[in-house]
Amino acid sequence: MGEQVKEIYNWARRRKIMAAFFVALTLLVGIMIGSVVSGRVSAVKNTTFAGTNATPLAVPDPIPSSNSFSGIVNRVEPAVVNIATTQVMEHRAPSARRKRSQPDDQDDPMQDFFDKFFDGQKEGPAQAERSLGSGVIVDKRGYILTNNHVVDQATKVQVQLNGETAHYTAKVVGVDEDTDLAVLKIDAGRDLPTARLGNSDGVQVGDWVLAIGSPFGLQATVTAGIISAKDRGGIGHQFQRFLQTDAAINPGNSGGPLVSLGGDVIGINTAIITGSRGYEGVGFALPSTTAINVYNQIIAQGRVTRGSIGVSFQEDLGTNAITLKALGAPYGVVIEGVEPGSPAEKAGLKGGDVITSVNGVAVKSGNDLVNPISLAPIGSKVKLSYVRDRSQKEAVATVEDRTRVFPNTAGRMGDQRGGEAAPAEFGLHVQELTPDRAHRVGMDTQKGVLVTEVEPASFAEDIGFAQRDVIAEVNRQAISSVEDYRNAIGKLKAGDSVVFKVLRHQDTDRVLTVFLPGVVPAEDKR
């Protein structure tokens, strides 16, 4: 047993000696390899570049792209100017513009320009406010077309020509608030470059266009896009029908040109719709055909004169197919009111008539009615065809100055309510139109039932009813009492077409005749 232990001890001792030998050998080999590699690396670092056989690149001669917009820009941009205005305010209080800047008005397409151009302190001592916009020279003698809101209430207007540092004081020749256009004049002592105004009627949706101006004061900025829509209404005033574009338009572009690929100015950039006060792809330019007409009148007489016969209407209600069918007209515009003493009243027209043609040309939209009359010379006569009680009639009216036909008047109706109301149907609460109630709401001598409340999200609200309306007819059935109203409503069932003839008091103490059409929904009659 002792011999076996002694052998095991000797075997282990020999193993330790061999292991130590191999460890030492490994360390020695590692040191040698490290020395060799380090030497090779140092040798590489010290080696000089031997060169290559590659051919050097050369900068080619400049060649414009075959589909470049640069040729158009080079022709038009010299005629585009930067406009800076100064307005001195005495102890400024929140203006009408600032008051409009409320959450409910954040989608106003003009507000972003007004906020940018007229931003400043709300209160304090007299101070100078400065704003920036754009314009385009259309006459070599220094006549410039821009927007009215760029120069509105300015005490000083200065124009900077493209590529120059000098500023020229401009004179405002005339403005037109209805189209938001203005004409300026500068004296540069030389002929100036001009842009050519084209015919916007030839523009098609999808055509490429360029917007040129000074967004945020950055002069000579060019953006590109397409025509997104034509004849876009409901954005501004009655006489504003816009070209819509997705070319980037921002505050400062206002008054600058919208240019076609032919190099013609086909619009004056005017407004945007935005939730951020910046570009969101929805911009509007006033068509050049409108701008030319306004410009020509301003340079000739300092103002714009428009003809009128004294009728008023709402586009969406006046051209509604259900209403026209109920009134026996194949097409046309239903007029709501006739101004007292106006040419229309003298010609025998009344609220509720459907005008179907002007001078033999069919009227199928509000523009078809307004344009030929507004463009007609003052004192000229227009021939009107209209439908009343399903019968075709003719009349001749003399065109008068619109500012005389519709003089500015003031006055507000009070909020008149009270009395026992009939149960709601279609979301309408109505009362008998007693003589006292009729007098309080400005409806003396009228017959019908008085609307005292319109329930939110109801059928009545959807088709346009308002508090203090007087319902005179339901589907051409005369209404003289709440009982008449209930009987007429009781005949209707889900899916039926209905047209309410409504008398509506206006702020100017006129009574309008409004037709409110709709299709009876099953869930809304109660």
Side-chain angles (χ1 to χ4, degrees), residues 331-383:
Y331 51 80
V333 173
V334 184
I335 58 175
E336 295 180 349
V338 177
E339 192 72 10
S342 67
E345 184 184 59
K346 295 173 183 177
L349 291 174
K350 299 179 179 179
D353 290 344
V354 185
I355 298 179
T356 56
S357 73
V358 177
N359 291 333
V361 179
V363 170
K364 297 184 178 180
S365 68
N367 277 351
D368 294 339
L369 173 58
V370 172
N371 289 348
I373 296 175
S374 64
L375 296 176
I378 305 302
S380 64
K381 296 183 182 298
V382 291
K383 183 179 180 181

Short mmCIF file of all heavy atoms in Angstrom, two decimals, residues 331-383:
data_model
loop_
_atom_site.label_atom_id
_atom_site.label_comp_id
_atom_site.label_asym_id
_atom_site.label_seq_id
_atom_site.Cartn_x
_atom_site.Cartn_y
_atom_site.Cartn_z
N TYR A 331 -84.30 74.88 -63.11
CA TYR A 331 -83.02 75.36 -62.58
C TYR A 331 -83.22 76.82 -62.20
O TYR A 331 -84.30 77.39 -62.39
CB TYR A 331 -81.90 75.22 -63.62
CG TYR A 331 -82.23 75.80 -64.97
CD1 TYR A 331 -82.13 77.18 -65.20
CD2 TYR A 331 -82.67 74.99 -66.02
CE1 TYR A 331 -82.44 77.73 -66.42
CE2 TYR A 331 -82.99 75.54 -67.25
CZ TYR A 331 -82.87 76.90 -67.45
OH TYR A 331 -83.20 77.44 -68.67
N GLY A 332 -82.18 77.43 -61.66
CA GLY A 332 -82.28 78.84 -61.29
C GLY A 332 -81.75 79.09 -59.90
O GLY A 332 -81.16 78.21 -59.27
N VAL A 333 -81.98 80.30 -59.42
CA VAL A 333 -81.59 80.71 -58.08
C VAL A 333 -82.80 81.32 -57.40
O VAL A 333 -83.42 82.26 -57.92
CB VAL A 333 -80.43 81.73 -58.11
CG1 VAL A 333 -80.16 82.28 -56.72
CG2 VAL A 333 -79.17 81.10 -58.68
N VAL A 334 -83.14 80.80 -56.23
CA VAL A 334 -84.26 81.33 -55.46
C VAL A 334 -83.79 82.55 -54.69
O VAL A 334 -82.83 82.48 -53.92
CB VAL A 334 -84.80 80.28 -54.48
CG1 VAL A 334 -86.05 80.82 -53.76
CG2 VAL A 334 -85.12 78.98 -55.20
N ILE A 335 -84.44 83.68 -54.90
CA ILE A 335 -84.04 84.89 -54.19
C ILE A 335 -84.78 84.96 -52.85
O ILE A 335 -85.97 84.62 -52.76
CB ILE A 335 -84.28 86.16 -55.02
CG1 ILE A 335 -85.75 86.30 -55.45
CG2 ILE A 335 -83.39 86.16 -56.24
CD1 ILE A 335 -86.06 87.59 -56.18
N GLU A 336 -84.05 85.37 -51.82
CA GLU A 336 -84.62 85.45 -50.48
C GLU A 336 -85.28 86.79 -50.21
O GLU A 336 -86.31 86.86 -49.55
CB GLU A 336 -83.54 85.20 -49.43
CG GLU A 336 -82.95 83.81 -49.47
CD GLU A 336 -81.89 83.64 -48.40
OE1 GLU A 336 -81.49 84.66 -47.79
OE2 GLU A 336 -81.46 82.50 -48.18
N GLY A 337 -84.64 87.84 -50.68
CA GLY A 337 -85.15 89.16 -50.37
C GLY A 337 -84.95 90.14 -51.51
O GLY A 337 -84.10 89.94 -52.38
N VAL A 338 -85.74 91.19 -51.50
CA VAL A 338 -85.65 92.26 -52.49
C VAL A 338 -85.53 93.58 -51.72
O VAL A 338 -86.38 93.90 -50.88
CB VAL A 338 -86.89 92.28 -53.41
CG1 VAL A 338 -86.81 93.46 -54.38
CG2 VAL A 338 -87.01 90.97 -54.17
N GLU A 339 -84.46 94.31 -51.99
CA GLU A 339 -84.21 95.56 -51.28
C GLU A 339 -85.30 96.58 -51.62
O GLU A 339 -85.64 96.79 -52.78
CB GLU A 339 -82.84 96.10 -51.69
CG GLU A 339 -82.34 97.24 -50.82
CD GLU A 339 -81.93 96.78 -49.45
OE1 GLU A 339 -81.84 95.55 -49.20
OE2 GLU A 339 -81.69 97.66 -48.60
N PRO A 340 -85.87 97.22 -50.58
CA PRO A 340 -86.92 98.23 -50.83
C PRO A 340 -86.40 99.35 -51.73
O PRO A 340 -85.30 99.87 -51.55
CB PRO A 340 -87.22 98.76 -49.43
CG PRO A 340 -86.83 97.64 -48.51
CD PRO A 340 -85.66 96.99 -49.14
N GLY A 341 -87.19 99.71 -52.73
CA GLY A 341 -86.85 100.78 -53.65
C GLY A 341 -85.81 100.40 -54.68
O GLY A 341 -85.37 101.25 -55.47
N SER A 342 -85.43 99.14 -54.71
CA SER A 342 -84.39 98.68 -55.64
C SER A 342 -84.96 98.44 -57.03
O SER A 342 -86.18 98.37 -57.22
CB SER A 342 -83.77 97.38 -55.13
OG SER A 342 -84.72 96.33 -55.17
N PRO A 343 -84.09 98.30 -58.04
CA PRO A 343 -84.56 97.98 -59.39
C PRO A 343 -85.38 96.70 -59.44
O PRO A 343 -86.35 96.61 -60.21
CB PRO A 343 -83.27 97.84 -60.19
CG PRO A 343 -82.28 98.70 -59.46
CD PRO A 343 -82.63 98.56 -58.02
N ALA A 344 -85.01 95.71 -58.62
CA ALA A 344 -85.76 94.45 -58.61
C ALA A 344 -87.18 94.66 -58.12
O ALA A 344 -88.14 94.10 -58.67
CB ALA A 344 -85.04 93.43 -57.74
N GLU A 345 -87.33 95.46 -57.05
CA GLU A 345 -88.67 95.73 -56.54
C GLU A 345 -89.49 96.49 -57.58
O GLU A 345 -90.68 96.19 -57.81
CB GLU A 345 -88.60 96.52 -55.25
CG GLU A 345 -89.97 96.74 -54.61
CD GLU A 345 -89.91 97.62 -53.38
OE1 GLU A 345 -89.45 98.78 -53.50
OE2 GLU A 345 -90.32 97.15 -52.30
N LYS A 346 -88.87 97.46 -58.24
CA LYS A 346 -89.58 98.22 -59.27
C LYS A 346 -89.98 97.34 -60.44
O LYS A 346 -90.97 97.62 -61.12
CB LYS A 346 -88.70 99.38 -59.76
CG LYS A 346 -88.40 100.42 -58.68
CD LYS A 346 -87.39 101.46 -59.17
CE LYS A 346 -87.04 102.45 -58.07
NZ LYS A 346 -86.01 103.42 -58.50
N ALA A 347 -89.18 96.28 -60.69
CA ALA A 347 -89.49 95.37 -61.79
C ALA A 347 -90.52 94.32 -61.39
O ALA A 347 -90.95 93.51 -62.24
CB ALA A 347 -88.21 94.68 -62.27
N GLY A 348 -90.93 94.30 -60.11
CA GLY A 348 -91.98 93.39 -59.67
C GLY A 348 -91.49 92.10 -59.03
O GLY A 348 -92.30 91.23 -58.72
N LEU A 349 -90.20 91.94 -58.81
CA LEU A 349 -89.69 90.71 -58.20
C LEU A 349 -90.00 90.68 -56.71
O LEU A 349 -90.06 91.72 -56.05
CB LEU A 349 -88.18 90.59 -58.41
CG LEU A 349 -87.71 90.35 -59.85
CD1 LEU A 349 -86.20 90.40 -59.92
CD2 LEU A 349 -88.22 89.01 -60.36
N LYS A 350 -90.16 89.44 -56.17
CA LYS A 350 -90.45 89.26 -54.76
C LYS A 350 -89.60 88.11 -54.21
O LYS A 350 -89.10 87.28 -54.96
CB LYS A 350 -91.93 88.92 -54.54
CG LYS A 350 -92.90 90.00 -54.99
CD LYS A 350 -94.34 89.54 -54.76
CE LYS A 350 -95.34 90.62 -55.18
NZ LYS A 350 -96.75 90.18 -54.97
N GLY A 351 -89.44 88.12 -52.88
CA GLY A 351 -88.76 87.00 -52.25
C GLY A 351 -89.49 85.70 -52.54
O GLY A 351 -90.72 85.64 -52.45
N GLY A 352 -88.74 84.65 -52.88
CA GLY A 352 -89.35 83.38 -53.24
C GLY A 352 -89.42 83.14 -54.74
O GLY A 352 -89.66 82.01 -55.18
N ASP A 353 -89.19 84.19 -55.53
CA ASP A 353 -89.13 84.01 -56.99
C ASP A 353 -87.84 83.27 -57.35
O ASP A 353 -86.82 83.38 -56.67
CB ASP A 353 -89.15 85.36 -57.71
CG ASP A 353 -90.51 86.05 -57.62
OD1 ASP A 353 -91.49 85.37 -57.28
OD2 ASP A 353 -90.57 87.27 -57.86
N VAL A 354 -87.89 82.53 -58.46
CA VAL A 354 -86.73 81.80 -58.95
C VAL A 354 -86.26 82.44 -60.25
O VAL A 354 -86.93 82.35 -61.27
CB VAL A 354 -87.04 80.31 -59.20
CG1 VAL A 354 -85.76 79.57 -59.59
CG2 VAL A 354 -87.68 79.67 -57.99
N ILE A 355 -85.11 83.11 -60.21
CA ILE A 355 -84.56 83.71 -61.43
C ILE A 355 -83.88 82.63 -62.24
O ILE A 355 -82.96 81.96 -61.76
CB ILE A 355 -83.58 84.85 -61.09
CG1 ILE A 355 -84.30 85.96 -60.33
CG2 ILE A 355 -82.94 85.41 -62.37
CD1 ILE A 355 -83.41 87.12 -59.94
N THR A 356 -84.33 82.44 -63.47
CA THR A 356 -83.83 81.34 -64.31
C THR A 356 -82.90 81.80 -65.43
O THR A 356 -82.16 80.99 -65.98
CB THR A 356 -85.00 80.56 -64.92
OG1 THR A 356 -85.84 81.47 -65.65
CG2 THR A 356 -85.83 79.89 -63.82
N SER A 357 -82.93 83.09 -65.78
CA SER A 357 -82.01 83.57 -66.81
C SER A 357 -81.81 85.07 -66.70
O SER A 357 -82.68 85.80 -66.19
CB SER A 357 -82.51 83.22 -68.22
OG SER A 357 -83.62 84.02 -68.59
N VAL A 358 -80.64 85.53 -67.15
CA VAL A 358 -80.31 86.96 -67.23
C VAL A 358 -79.87 87.23 -68.66
O VAL A 358 -78.91 86.62 -69.15
CB VAL A 358 -79.19 87.34 -66.25
CG1 VAL A 358 -78.83 88.82 -66.42
CG2 VAL A 358 -79.62 87.07 -64.81
N ASN A 359 -80.59 88.12 -69.33
CA ASN A 359 -80.32 88.44 -70.74
C ASN A 359 -80.27 87.19 -71.61
O ASN A 359 -79.44 87.04 -72.51
CB ASN A 359 -79.00 89.21 -70.86
CG ASN A 359 -79.11 90.61 -70.29
OD1 ASN A 359 -80.19 91.20 -70.25
ND2 ASN A 359 -77.99 91.15 -69.83
N GLY A 360 -81.18 86.25 -71.33
CA GLY A 360 -81.29 85.05 -72.14
C GLY A 360 -80.32 83.94 -71.82
O GLY A 360 -80.38 82.86 -72.40
N VAL A 361 -79.41 84.18 -70.87
CA VAL A 361 -78.42 83.16 -70.48
C VAL A 361 -78.90 82.46 -69.21
O VAL A 361 -79.24 83.13 -68.22
CB VAL A 361 -77.04 83.78 -70.26
CG1 VAL A 361 -76.03 82.72 -69.82
CG2 VAL A 361 -76.57 84.49 -71.52
N ALA A 362 -78.94 81.14 -69.24
CA ALA A 362 -79.46 80.36 -68.12
C ALA A 362 -78.70 80.64 -66.84
O ALA A 362 -77.48 80.79 -66.83
CB ALA A 362 -79.42 78.87 -68.45
N VAL A 363 -79.43 80.72 -65.73
CA VAL A 363 -78.84 80.91 -64.41
C VAL A 363 -78.90 79.58 -63.67
O VAL A 363 -79.98 79.08 -63.34
CB VAL A 363 -79.61 81.99 -63.61
CG1 VAL A 363 -79.15 82.01 -62.16
CG2 VAL A 363 -79.42 83.35 -64.25
N LYS A 364 -77.73 78.99 -63.43
CA LYS A 364 -77.67 77.71 -62.73
C LYS A 364 -76.80 77.78 -61.47
O LYS A 364 -76.65 76.79 -60.77
CB LYS A 364 -77.15 76.62 -63.66
CG LYS A 364 -78.08 76.38 -64.85
CD LYS A 364 -77.60 75.22 -65.72
CE LYS A 364 -78.58 74.98 -66.87
NZ LYS A 364 -78.15 73.85 -67.74
N SER A 365 -76.24 78.94 -61.21
CA SER A 365 -75.43 79.14 -60.01
C SER A 365 -75.51 80.61 -59.61
O SER A 365 -76.00 81.45 -60.37
CB SER A 365 -73.97 78.74 -60.27
OG SER A 365 -73.37 79.65 -61.18
N GLY A 366 -75.00 80.91 -58.43
CA GLY A 366 -74.98 82.29 -57.98
C GLY A 366 -74.17 83.18 -58.89
O GLY A 366 -74.54 84.33 -59.15
N ASN A 367 -73.04 82.66 -59.40
CA ASN A 367 -72.21 83.43 -60.31
C ASN A 367 -72.96 83.80 -61.59
O ASN A 367 -72.78 84.89 -62.14
CB ASN A 367 -70.94 82.66 -60.68
CG ASN A 367 -69.86 82.82 -59.63
OD1 ASN A 367 -69.98 83.63 -58.73
ND2 ASN A 367 -68.82 82.03 -59.74
N ASP A 368 -73.77 82.86 -62.08
CA ASP A 368 -74.53 83.13 -63.30
C ASP A 368 -75.49 84.29 -63.13
O ASP A 368 -75.82 84.99 -64.10
CB ASP A 368 -75.32 81.87 -63.72
CG ASP A 368 -74.43 80.72 -64.13
OD1 ASP A 368 -73.26 80.98 -64.48
OD2 ASP A 368 -74.90 79.57 -64.10
N LEU A 369 -75.94 84.49 -61.89
CA LEU A 369 -76.85 85.61 -61.61
C LEU A 369 -76.10 86.89 -61.33
O LEU A 369 -76.43 87.96 -61.85
CB LEU A 369 -77.75 85.25 -60.43
CG LEU A 369 -78.67 86.36 -59.88
CD1 LEU A 369 -79.59 86.89 -60.97
CD2 LEU A 369 -79.48 85.84 -58.69
N VAL A 370 -75.04 86.79 -60.51
CA VAL A 370 -74.34 87.99 -60.04
C VAL A 370 -73.45 88.61 -61.10
O VAL A 370 -73.47 89.82 -61.33
CB VAL A 370 -73.51 87.66 -58.78
CG1 VAL A 370 -72.62 88.85 -58.40
CG2 VAL A 370 -74.43 87.30 -57.63
N ASN A 371 -72.65 87.78 -61.77
CA ASN A 371 -71.61 88.32 -62.67
C ASN A 371 -72.14 89.20 -63.79
O ASN A 371 -71.62 90.30 -64.01
CB ASN A 371 -70.77 87.18 -63.23
CG ASN A 371 -69.87 86.56 -62.18
OD1 ASN A 371 -69.71 87.10 -61.10
ND2 ASN A 371 -69.30 85.41 -62.48
N PRO A 372 -73.13 88.76 -64.57
CA PRO A 372 -73.58 89.62 -65.67
C PRO A 372 -74.18 90.94 -65.20
O PRO A 372 -74.09 91.95 -65.89
CB PRO A 372 -74.61 88.77 -66.41
CG PRO A 372 -75.05 87.74 -65.43
CD PRO A 372 -73.88 87.48 -64.56
N ILE A 373 -74.76 90.94 -64.01
CA ILE A 373 -75.35 92.17 -63.48
C ILE A 373 -74.27 93.07 -62.89
O ILE A 373 -74.27 94.29 -63.12
CB ILE A 373 -76.43 91.84 -62.43
CG1 ILE A 373 -77.58 91.07 -63.08
CG2 ILE A 373 -76.93 93.11 -61.76
CD1 ILE A 373 -78.63 90.59 -62.10
N SER A 374 -73.33 92.49 -62.14
CA SER A 374 -72.28 93.31 -61.52
C SER A 374 -71.36 93.93 -62.57
O SER A 374 -70.81 95.01 -62.35
CB SER A 374 -71.46 92.47 -60.54
OG SER A 374 -70.77 91.43 -61.21
N LEU A 375 -71.20 93.26 -63.71
CA LEU A 375 -70.33 93.78 -64.77
C LEU A 375 -71.07 94.70 -65.74
O LEU A 375 -70.43 95.35 -66.58
CB LEU A 375 -69.71 92.62 -65.54
CG LEU A 375 -68.76 91.72 -64.74
CD1 LEU A 375 -68.28 90.55 -65.60
CD2 LEU A 375 -67.57 92.50 -64.20
N ALA A 376 -72.37 94.75 -65.65
CA ALA A 376 -73.16 95.59 -66.57
C ALA A 376 -72.96 97.06 -66.25
O ALA A 376 -72.82 97.45 -65.08
CB ALA A 376 -74.64 95.22 -66.48
N PRO A 377 -72.92 97.94 -67.26
CA PRO A 377 -72.78 99.38 -67.02
C PRO A 377 -73.94 99.93 -66.19
O PRO A 377 -75.08 99.49 -66.34
CB PRO A 377 -72.77 99.98 -68.43
CG PRO A 377 -72.38 98.85 -69.33
CD PRO A 377 -72.95 97.61 -68.70
N ILE A 378 -73.61 100.84 -65.30
CA ILE A 378 -74.65 101.47 -64.49
C ILE A 378 -75.62 102.21 -65.42
O ILE A 378 -75.21 102.96 -66.30
CB ILE A 378 -74.05 102.45 -63.48
CG1 ILE A 378 -73.00 101.73 -62.63
CG2 ILE A 378 -75.13 103.06 -62.61
CD1 ILE A 378 -73.51 100.54 -61.88
N GLY A 379 -76.90 101.96 -65.22
CA GLY A 379 -77.92 102.58 -66.06
C GLY A 379 -78.40 101.70 -67.19
O GLY A 379 -79.42 102.00 -67.82
N SER A 380 -77.69 100.61 -67.46
CA SER A 380 -78.13 99.70 -68.51
C SER A 380 -79.27 98.83 -67.99
O SER A 380 -79.54 98.77 -66.79
CB SER A 380 -76.97 98.82 -68.97
OG SER A 380 -76.51 97.98 -67.92
N LYS A 381 -79.91 98.13 -68.89
CA LYS A 381 -81.06 97.30 -68.52
C LYS A 381 -80.74 95.83 -68.72
O LYS A 381 -80.00 95.45 -69.65
CB LYS A 381 -82.30 97.68 -69.34
CG LYS A 381 -82.77 99.11 -69.08
CD LYS A 381 -84.03 99.42 -69.85
CE LYS A 381 -84.48 100.86 -69.65
NZ LYS A 381 -84.81 101.14 -68.23
N VAL A 382 -81.26 94.99 -67.82
CA VAL A 382 -81.10 93.55 -67.95
C VAL A 382 -82.48 92.91 -68.01
O VAL A 382 -83.41 93.34 -67.33
CB VAL A 382 -80.29 92.95 -66.78
CG1 VAL A 382 -78.84 93.39 -66.83
CG2 VAL A 382 -80.90 93.32 -65.43
N LYS A 383 -82.59 91.89 -68.86
CA LYS A 383 -83.84 91.15 -69.00
C LYS A 383 -83.78 89.91 -68.14
O LYS A 383 -82.83 89.13 -68.21
CB LYS A 383 -84.06 90.77 -70.46
CG LYS A 383 -85.37 90.06 -70.72
CD LYS A 383 -85.54 89.73 -72.20
CE LYS A 383 -86.86 89.01 -72.45
NZ LYS A 383 -87.01 88.66 -73.89
#
